[in-house]
Amino acid sequence: ENNELKKVICTPVWNEGVDFTHLKVLIRGDGQTSPIECTQIPGRLSRVGNKDVGILVDFMDHFGDWFRNRSVNRREQYHAKGWTLIENWDPSW
């Protein structure tokens, strides 16, 4: 929380009980579709802190219909929450 860590790879160990107020970008690679996880995981970006915006990077998985459908499900959940979705985002910011 003292803003020393700049990059981490997160496992479910940090699913609960953490508060990352400085987190600006979260790359989501878990592939889950639970409505709870589709709110709580990206919600880490909405914590009050020193940032104007939080960026969630999620991936459209094309390794098969089952995986693609899960990606579409997450995208639909994000859209239903009113979040701005940008497809084919250029991360060269």
Side-chain angles (χ1 to χ4, degrees), residues 23-91:
L23 184 65
K24 295 179 183 178
V25 178
L26 181 113
I27 299 174
R28 186 170 180 193
D30 62 287
Q32 299 298 313
T33 59
S34 156
I36 293 171
E37 291 173 342
C38 285
T39 299
Q40 288 182 345
I41 292 171
R44 304 235 183 275
L45 296 166
S46 66
R47 302 295 201 270
V48 175
N50 301 324
K51 59 186 169 200
D52 296 325
V53 67
I55 299 170
L56 171 70
V57 179
D58 200 339
F59 300 93
M60 285 301 294
D61 195 338
H62 296 284
F63 288 106
D65 289 342
W66 186 81
F67 297 103
R68 187 184 58 75
N69 291 339
R70 293 174 72 81
S71 298
V72 169
N73 180 290
R74 287 192 308 277
R75 184 177 61 193
E76 289 171 351
Q77 289 188 58
Y78 300 152
H79 180 72
K81 290 172 180 32
W83 296 344
T84 301
L85 305 178
I86 301 171
E87 295 190 31
N88 301 316
W89 174 61
D90 177 8

